[in-house]
Amino acid sequence: MRRTLFLSIALALQVTATATAAEPTRVANEAIASQPLDAALNALSRQTGLQFVYNAQSAGNPRTPGVPAGLSADAALSRLLAGTGLRYRYLNATTVTIEAQNTASPAPGAGVTAPSGVAVAGDAPLHADVAAPAAGAGAQDLETIQVTGSYSRSLEQAVDIKRATVGFSDSIVATDVADFPEQNLAEALQRVPGVTIERSKGLGTKVNVRGLPSEYTHVSINDLATASGSGGRDVEFDMFASEIIQQVTVQKSPTAADEEGGIAGSVKISTARPFDYNERRLVFSAEGAHNSISEEVDPRFAFLAADTWGDWGALVSYSQSKRTNRTDSTSGINFRPSSRFLTASGTRGTQAQSVLLRDAGVNITNRNDSDQTNRVVFQDKVGDRVYLNEQDKWGATGSLQYKPSNNFSLTFDAMVGGYDSTEDEYDAAAYSASSRSTFDTIHEYDADTLSQYGMVVLRDVSYTATQHEMLSKERINKTDYGQYSMALDWKGDSWYIDALVGYSGAEKTSDYSNLKHVAYAPSRTRWTGDSGETIPSSAPGSIDMYNASDKYLFEAYETTLEKVKDDKYAAQVNVTRLLDLAFLPALHTVKFGARYTDRSKERQYGEAKITGPTAGSAAWVNTRTLADSPLQSIGDIVPGGDYSHKGLDWQQVSNAYARGAFRYDGFYTPFDPGQFYQVDEKVMSFYAMTDFAFDIGNVPFTINAGARYVDTKVDSFGYHPVQRPDGSTGYTDTPVSKDGSYDDLLPSFNMTAELSPGLLLRAAASKVMMRPALTDVAYKRTASWSSYRFTDGNPELKPTYAKQWEVGVEKYLDNGALFAASYFRKNIDGVVINSLTGMVEDVAVYNANGSLNGIYDFDVYQPVNAKGSYEVDGIELVAQMPLGMFTPWLEGFGINANYTMLDSSLAGESDLGIQTPMPGLSEKTWNFTAYYENERFDARVSYNHKDEYVESIGYNLYPIYRDAYGQMDVSIGYRITDNIKISLKGINLTNEITSGYTMDPSFPTMYEASGRRISLGLRADF
């Protein structure tokens, strides 16, 4: 394989004719990871301004040991070359040659004076009177080496970043991000150790680090916290195209300099800059992808252009893609407690009681005893759904750099994009627990599977009046995001300053509609092998729910509208002082800085119902039928044919028709003042930290220690409900505001010891925080006038904190192999729960006719920080092996694998006393990638696995599990020429199914298929 020689290593340097004047001390103020010599010298060149000349063919390109921050250039060179058989020699004040130690010293008249006070490795200091070569002497000729991207090289770079980064981290770089068959950035991140993703209809959407919920993760792009249209703090990763990303690092143990906000960790995303490349760069890629269920072919293309001229450089990139994906799914089967029927008045309750005794032998002695009624369960809702998800996504980056020297740069970065999606959902569902129904006949029940909980499951039941529904749902989401920043970097002899100002913003509009037709009729619902089914019962009036359009009556055309606007402004300055203290030589750097952020998030929401052809009309309710609208079969409305799960086909109203036919002229969805909130958050933080480097015996240690002080102020606004003397209800004329504040000190400690060459012992400890969800902070109020209760947001909420520590061992080999193992523990406290917090006295409550009902004291419930804590601990294992290390026959083959095992002391407990794991926590996850590549061909197969986990607790009674899920993805590429490559990629090649169950696998709740996705692409690099 061609050796890669990076950026600033000179290909030819002219040797000067005169002795060099004294130069200021040059210091490597950043750590340099263990890596091939060419890359290490490139890193040292960027930091010190030195230029290096060496012939990789004759001198070799050995892997160098790591170098801590704060060493002088000569000390750094000495450590880099230790044990390599190489030495360095100054040709002039800024040019250094690397040569074998047994190379003869230059004869008098052939050398060049070293800078004053500089010693030459492996040789005596050069004398000042040694003459230089004559002016015009030929430049050193080095072999021409091209930069070529490869997966194995991207893994090596990721390993180098991991080794050089203070604390525990894992990274993926450009080739790994963009060259796998990923659909977005979330799916690229799923291969990072300890990272899992949440999937929605076959697409990765959110990222979980170390099993904790997505909102526990802090996300930044180019050092700016990322705005989101989610309405909360979590980031919707599916809106980012992977092609415009240069590098992603998941930082699991912070330093004091890292922005706070993530208990699970921080995802740091970087986009490309022009001086990342050593020559003009133009990249273009195009791809077509086919989904096996929708049978649609979607386009995707991207390009990047970068160039530098003199002190200036510019880069632009653009990516656009379309995705048409169909998902066939069952419609949400869950347990429903029999109290639904037993507590009903009249014959509904008494009939349910008698049927249970007659058909299942269950004797309910008290129909209002929830401990009895909640332990007899039946299916809640059974039916079938088809989704069609169409996405249009684009993203662009731009970067302009001014870099007159290695000691100064000024960079403007921009990242903009849009993410539009339309999801059509068509449901044929049977709601067993309708308000008109009760048990008719129990055909089969199970009193054994869950007998340890005293539960009886009704497996096959006929109902008196099932609510059959035909639902045509449409979700239109539009997200626009933009981020702009200016960064300054300056390096002096012993001072280093970097500063950043920037803005990140996102706006999202969600337009939802649901056309609902309903038919009440007897039916029979039962579990099948992997889901459930509803069929006609033997009772008179029962219907075939899929073929009875004239029986379904119009109920409503429901709409909701949500708008979220998120704006973040930030300014940061960092100052580093390099030290060389005689009384404390181990102290190499002191770093301190400050950051100010100003965030404002506003959310508006409203809903409306159309029940007739004009505003206020209810003419269609219970008169218009499903058959009165033009109907189409599912196979015609949605591309791909019949419903794949059961071979069914049924007829519904298309969303395209519904939007035009049911939204009368002038219709709009008004915003509800009660759902409005605005949260303004201002944060001022200061930090200071130090870096130490010293040896204990033959073991070099590096230590980073510091603390971050954070002061946060919150202002929150929301409308509060009022009841007027005439009995009507409304809201305050203007939003009601309330503020809150908190401050804290967050210490951090990171240590690395190189026990032997390439063997690192790493340890870290810190206190971290996660700010409360914006929906909990939002100071809006809802009222229950009949229950005399207010529910408020709480701007005075404090963060959730974690005290965490980690220890690990990492072994780095010269061929880029890595073996790592670590154990971590997080002690988390301040989790947010809802609780009674106070009382509002003397609230007047009026009847509907305006008469005074009475004066009451209203309880106030708010989110609060719970007392007590829980622990999450785990083990991470990483293995990255080029298999050529074992035998030449395996040259080009390699393995990249990781495994994470988690445990939590937080066991959820339902109202029935059923112990469950922490919701969302998957105990075991692992990734395995095998690859082969040579100069022309590459192939990779990757399998990603996530164990089962509790998704939610139904009615706070029954744990609902998501089954373990594993997915195989494949990528094959062939380089036709040095500049053009074709690739064939496959996502979910084994056509895996997403499934789940309630309490036991014999009671399935979910069965969802999104199909395979095969793409063919072309990439050109110039």
Side-chain angles (χ1 to χ4, degrees), residues 66 82 231 265 270 280 332-333 373 375 400 420 425 429 528 599 648 665 681 701 717 813 915 918 923 971 974 997:
S270 301
R280 179 180 299 166
I333 308 165
T373 61
R375 295 183 191 276
L400 180 65
D420 299 340
E425 176 187 342
T528 60
R599 176 182 189 176
L648 289 170
D665 290 343
E681 185 178 77
F701 281 77
F717 306 83
L813 302 181
Q915 295 287 316
M918 176 183 176
E923 291 186 359
S971 174
Y974 181 75
Y997 61 90

Side-chain angles (χ1 to χ4, degrees), residues 559-571:
T559 69
T560 67
L561 183 65
E562 181 183 39
K563 287 189 176 181
V564 176
K565 185 178 181 182
D566 189 6
D567 294 301
K568 298 181 180 180
Y569 299 87

Side-chain angles (χ1 to χ4, degrees), residues 145-225:
I145 299 176
Q146 293 179 323
V147 176
T148 58
S150 71
Y151 177 62
S152 62
R153 182 57 188 160
S154 75
L155 294 180
E156 289 182 17
Q157 288 179 284
V159 167
D160 293 341
I161 295 169
K162 178 180 178 69
R163 182 166 184 174
T165 302
V166 175
F168 290 86
S169 71
D170 291 282
S171 299
I172 51 177
V173 294
T175 302
D176 196 12
V177 171
D179 208 30
F180 255 112
E182 318 293 7
Q183 300 177 94
N184 56 41
L185 184 57
E187 296 194 358
L189 281 168
Q190 69 181 320
R191 308 187 195 285
V192 175
V195 174
T196 56
I197 63 174
E198 298 178 17
R199 295 181 182 274
S200 175
K201 305 171 189 72
L203 182 70
T205 55
K206 295 181 180 180
V207 169
N208 307 117
V209 177
R210 290 183 163 171
L212 296 172
S214 57
E215 59 267 23
Y216 280 43
T217 300
H218 182 264
V219 182
S220 64
I221 299 178
N222 296 333
D223 292 327
L224 283 177

Side-chain angles (χ1 to χ4, degrees), residues 815 882-893:
N815 59 1
L883 297 182
M885 62 189 289
F886 299 110
T887 171
W889 293 97
L890 294 177
E891 187 66 34
F893 287 94

Side-chain angles (χ1 to χ4, degrees), residues 618-947:
W620 290 337
V621 177
N622 295 327
T623 58
R624 184 183 177 111
T625 71
L626 182 64
D628 291 331
S629 297
L631 303 178
Q632 294 177 268
S633 67
I634 289 297
D636 293 332
I637 298 178
V638 179
D642 292 352
Y643 177 67
S644 62
H645 181 35
K646 300 176 181 176
L648 289 170
D649 194 12
W650 66 90
Q651 292 192 323
Q652 286 194 227
V653 180
S654 74
N655 285 318
Y657 172 83
R659 178 171 282 269
F662 291 96
R663 297 193 181 208
Y664 50 79
D665 290 343
F667 171 79
Y668 69 97
T669 303
F671 288 125
D672 178 6
Q675 298 294 331
F676 167 86
Y677 70 76
Q678 178 180 328
V679 178
D680 296 336
E681 185 178 77
K682 296 178 173 61
V683 180
M684 190 73 212
S685 58
F686 304 91
Y687 76 90
M689 67 183 191
T690 57
D691 290 301
F692 295 86
F694 54 89
D695 293 344
I696 299 179
N698 294 324
V699 178
F701 281 77
T702 59
I703 290 178
N704 170 273
R708 186 177 187 89
Y709 172 77
V710 181
D711 182 60
T712 305
K713 291 181 171 54
V714 176
D715 288 314
S716 182
F717 306 83
Y719 290 93
H720 285 206
V722 295
Q723 191 177 39
R724 304 182 183 96
D726 64 359
S728 64
T729 59
Y731 293 93
T732 55
D733 294 334
T734 59
V736 179
S737 65
K738 191 173 184 179
D739 57 23
S741 64
Y742 51 87
D743 62 346
D744 211 333
L745 189 67
L746 306 174
S748 63
F749 173 86
N750 295 275
M751 184 208 73
T752 301
E754 191 159 5
L755 304 178
S756 63
L759 179 63
L760 270 62
L761 172 66
R762 201 184 293 269
S766 59
K767 180 181 179 181
V768 293
M769 61 177 280
M770 179 197 73
R771 292 189 168 87
L774 296 176
T775 50
D776 291 332
V777 173
Y779 194 53
K780 60 186 183 71
R781 168 175 287 178
T782 58
S784 174
W785 300 106
S786 59
S787 300
Y788 317 121
R789 174 173 174 168
F790 291 138
T791 302
D792 292 0
N794 186 2
E796 296 179 329
L797 267 179
K798 301 300 187 283
T800 299
Y801 294 98
K803 295 177 181 177
Q804 60 184 27
W805 60 269
E806 185 167 2
V807 62
V809 178
E810 301 165 1
K811 176 61 177 177
Y812 298 85
L813 302 181
D814 291 341
N815 59 1
L818 165 66
F819 300 92
S822 66
Y823 172 83
F824 63 88
R825 172 167 288 186
K826 298 175 184 286
N827 188 284
I828 301 174
D829 64 74
V831 174
V832 175
I833 62 172
N834 284 304
S835 180
L836 175 66
T837 60
M839 180 183 296
V840 178
E841 298 180 345
D842 300 333
V843 178
V845 177
Y846 296 91
N847 298 313
N849 61 7
S851 62
L852 181 66
N853 178 284
I855 305 296
Y856 300 92
D857 294 338
F858 273 53
D859 291 333
V860 178
Y861 285 80
Q862 290 179 289
V864 298
N865 298 102
K867 296 181 179 179
S869 62
Y870 69 95
E871 292 180 349
V872 175
D873 56 359
I875 297 172
E876 284 184 358
L877 304 175
V878 179
Q880 181 175 308
M881 292 182 291
L883 297 182
M885 62 189 289
F886 299 110
T887 171
W889 293 97
L890 294 177
E891 187 66 34
F893 287 94
I895 291 173
N896 180 24
N898 60 76
Y899 173 87
T900 303
M901 182 171 65
L902 300 171
D903 189 23
S904 170
S905 66
L906 180 66
E909 182 172 325
S910 77
D911 289 347
L912 294 178
I914 301 170
Q915 295 287 316
T916 67
M918 176 183 176
L921 182 68
S922 180
E923 291 186 359
K924 299 180 182 67
T925 59
W926 54 272
N927 302 282
F928 180 87
T929 299
Y931 65 90
Y932 171 76
E933 62 183 17
N934 58 33
E935 291 186 354
R936 292 292 181 193
F937 177 80
D938 62 79
R940 294 185 290 284
V941 57
S942 179
Y943 190 82
N944 181 272
H945 177 88
K946 181 177 181 178
D947 261 9

Side-chain angles (χ1 to χ4, degrees), residues 491-549:
K491 301 175 185 177
D493 293 344
S494 57
W495 290 92
Y496 176 26
I497 298 174
D498 65 273
L500 173 78
V501 292
Y503 163 82
S504 177
E507 292 188 26
K508 181 177 180 178
T509 302
S510 300
D511 184 350
Y512 167 80
S513 61
N514 177 21
L515 175 61
K516 186 175 182 179
H517 288 83
V518 176
Y520 289 92
S523 73
R524 181 176 178 180
T525 298
R526 61 192 179 189
W527 265 283
T528 60
D530 49 32
S531 59
E533 65 177 0
T534 298
I535 59 176
S537 73
S538 60
S542 185
I543 63 173
D544 177 356
M545 61 177 287
Y546 299 98
N547 295 287
S549 59

